[in-house]
Amino acid sequence: MTALLEVQDLRVSYGKIEAVKGISFTVNQGEVTTLIGTNGAGKTTTLRTLSGLLKPTAGTITFDGRPLAAVPAHKIVALGLAHSPEGRHIFPRMTIEENLLLGAFLRNDADGITKDVERAYGLFPILGERRKQAAGTLSGGEQQMLAMGRALMSRPKLLMLDEPSMGLSPLMMQKIMATIIELKADGTTILLVEQNAQAALSLSDRGYVMETGSIVLQGTGADLLHDESVRKAYLGED
Ligand code: ATP
């Protein structure tokens, strides 16, 4: 297994409050890795730090063999790390197609971009059907699809998805999870943050459980799915 991302002893604070307290984890090339944990565990903070939006107070991040600590956010995208944020952050007045094209802002290969827009429409047909409509007219689940499609437009080596199933109907959630499996089959490496532990661990090669800023448990997706403490805390079993 080749590590695409290696995080070591990472610490991140908001002022005096330390939200991430020295975590270490690895994302292997071609795998789906999941961070699970309750609200406030520090998952979003971790992803925002990997994207360069927050500065760590300590620790190292190595992406594709290179240290990320001093690299600004816009250059991190260029290195191949894309982030589909929690809460989606699409541009509601722009069309669906314009939103997708924003994800390709660093590229200048027009033919490749056109191909990838079509690929996004292949993954999410509803986006293709409504490509000229304002993105704000999409449902929550469809906006989530657009956020994922936009992150894919940079042809990332690593796709980070923050709570892609949040607020979605069970059917929509299944669609998003099926797309993650499809992307993995295409060779995309994925770092997933999810509250829906059952769905996320079922499709993950590896998982890490975060609690109040620390990683308290790790293992393969299957190991964690069968772990008694995970089942009690995250899968609602007694
Ligand atoms: P959630 O699923 O609720 O988003 P999370 O695991 O992603 O949870 P974070 O959002 O990373 O958790 O939050 C970790 C801790 O940092 C929490 O205690 C949160 O209140 C705190 N925190 C997050 N953002 C800020 C901020 N901008 N300023 C101060 N504290 C923050």
Side-chain angles (χ1 to χ4, degrees):
M1 276 301 152
T2 321
L4 178 59
L5 176 76
E6 257 191 294
V7 173
Q8 263 166 354
D9 299 321
L10 186 73
R11 290 178 181 273
V12 191
S13 296
Y14 297 103
K16 284 186 184 154
I17 300 165
E18 191 169 56
V20 173
K21 302 173 182 168
I23 62 168
S24 302
F25 65 94
T26 303
V27 177
N28 289 322
Q29 183 81 47
E31 289 192 349
V32 178
T33 302
T34 297
L35 300 180
I36 60 169
T38 46
N39 280 331
K43 308 177 299 294
T44 297
T45 301
T46 302
L47 293 196
R48 288 176 62 79
T49 307
L50 296 175
S51 284
L53 300 170
L54 295 170
K55 270 212 157 325
T57 49
T60 57
I61 302 168
T62 311
F63 177 63
D64 206 15
R66 159 208 294 257
L68 281 195
V71 183
H74 66 281
K75 295 228 168 103
I76 289 178
V77 179
L79 293 178
L81 201 155
H83 187 177
S84 176
E86 189 178 25
R88 300 168 192 126
H89 299 287
I90 57 136
F91 293 92
R93 296 208 182 137
M94 292 171 71
T95 67
I96 288 156
E97 189 146 307
E98 286 164 346
N99 270 274
L100 280 177
L101 290 171
L102 278 179
F105 73 102
L106 288 171
R107 295 172 60 180
N108 45 27
D109 57 323
D111 290 351
I113 293 172
T114 306
K115 238 169 92 188
D116 285 345
V117 169
E118 291 308 320
R119 176 175 176 240
Y121 294 154
L123 282 171
F124 303 114
I126 185 80
L127 300 183
E129 287 161 24
R130 297 176 56 183
R131 61 182 80 187
K132 299 292 177 210
Q133 288 182 28
T137 64
L138 294 172
S139 75
E142 292 159 356
Q143 290 186 21
Q144 183 57 55
M145 292 173 184
L146 180 56
M148 275 173 79
R150 185 181 56 188
L152 283 168
M153 288 299 297
S154 64
R155 290 236 144 218
K157 292 181 186 137
L158 176 64
L159 175 65
M160 301 198 295
L161 301 172
D162 197 350
E163 307 250 6
S165 79
M166 189 165 61
L168 301 190
S169 68
L171 196 68
M172 238 2 153
M173 196 191 83
Q174 270 178 21
K175 167 71 188 156
I176 297 284
M177 294 297 159
T179 305
I180 291 173
I181 293 170
E182 214 174 316
L183 290 172
K184 182 192 162 181
D186 263 5
T188 310
T189 306
I190 295 170
L191 176 58
L192 177 63
V193 159
E194 258 298 333
Q195 298 237 4
N196 189 323
Q198 174 86 42
L201 292 174
S202 304
L203 57 77
S204 293
D205 297 285
R206 179 150 288 278
Y208 295 85
V209 180
M210 277 188 86
E211 268 172 28
T212 54
S214 303
I215 288 173
V216 294
L217 203 61
Q218 56 181 288
T220 65
D223 285 345
L224 293 179
L225 260 184
H226 296 113
D227 182 273
E228 202 172 329
S229 62
V230 171
R231 298 194 73 81
K232 274 191 185 148
Y234 299 100
L235 307 178
E237 294 187 1
D238 305 319

